Amino acid sequence: RDETHSSYFSNLYESYKDWCDKIHPALTSPKHAVQDIRNFASEKIQQLHDAEQNAVATASNIYEHAYFKIIEKDGKVDKQLTALSHATQSQIADVWNSMWKMKERLRTASDISSQRQALRQQLKNYQQTLSQMRGMRGMATSIPSKQMADLMK
């Protein structure tokens, strides 16, 4: 396993070194150098992705073999563990979905709170306007109540 690990990085270093040797003359032409660097980065990203997928597949295979060495395939314990695993996954999915719903509820509550605060501010402004109008005795009697109410809308 250590040999595979070290050989992968050795190969990665070797390919990088080869690429540097190849790209060095092209560095005099910046137009091609940038594109070559992008291509190299893209290749390395793909290689890393492939290595990751390979590692996951290998680990899964090792786990499955070890599991079935200890536990009989399709036996009673295997079925119980599978049922437990499915139930746990289902519960995790339910909790995850519940958290998303909670975020939606919190967002709705926040929106309602903001609207309530805006309405309170509007009411406060109306009360100030009304008390100012009451302060001007002559004007308060000259404006009918219905017109004053319409003004407050």
Side-chain angles (χ1 to χ4, degrees), residues 21-37:
D21 292 341
K22 182 179 85 175
I23 198 69
H24 183 69
L27 289 177
T28 57
S29 171
K31 177 181 171 187
H32 296 295
V34 171
Q35 186 59 43
D36 288 343
I37 290 171

Side-chain angles (χ1 to χ4, degrees), residues 7-29:
S7 73
Y8 172 77
F9 286 104
S10 295
N11 291 341
L12 184 63
Y13 173 74
E14 291 290 327
S15 65
Y16 174 73
K17 187 177 171 194
D18 291 344
W19 176 80
C20 286
D21 292 341
K22 182 179 85 175
I23 198 69
H24 183 69
L27 289 177
T28 57
S29 171

Side-chain angles (χ1 to χ4, degrees), residues 125-147:
N125 292 341
Y126 287 160
Q127 288 171 339
Q128 286 176 350
T129 303
L130 186 58
S131 89
Q132 287 173 357
M133 291 177 79
R134 283 185 184 158
M136 298 183 240
R137 294 195 187 271
M139 188 175 173
T141 55
S142 66
I143 300 176
S145 303
K146 185 173 180 177
Q147 202 174 4

Side-chain angles (χ1 to χ4, degrees), residues 67 71-88:
Y67 177 82
I71 296 171
E72 180 185 340
K73 188 172 185 172
D74 295 328
K76 183 178 178 181
V77 174
D78 183 35
K79 288 179 181 178
Q80 289 175 340
L81 287 173
T82 300
L84 179 65
S85 173
H86 289 298
T88 303

Side-chain angles (χ1 to χ4, degrees), residues 33-91:
V34 171
Q35 186 59 43
D36 288 343
I37 290 171
R38 284 183 186 153
N39 292 342
F40 177 77
S42 177
E43 287 174 20
K44 293 306 160 193
I45 288 171
Q46 185 60 46
Q47 287 177 357
L48 288 173
H49 176 72
D50 292 345
E52 180 185 10
Q53 292 299 319
N54 188 23
V56 168
T58 302
S60 179
N61 194 12
I62 290 170
Y63 167 76
E64 188 173 320
H65 283 10
Y67 177 82
F68 287 124
K69 276 188 177 183
I70 298 170
I71 296 171
E72 180 185 340
K73 188 172 185 172
D74 295 328
K76 183 178 178 181
V77 174
D78 183 35
K79 288 179 181 178
Q80 289 175 340
L81 287 173
T82 300
L84 179 65
S85 173
H86 289 298
T88 303
Q89 289 175 1
S90 175
Q91 288 174 349

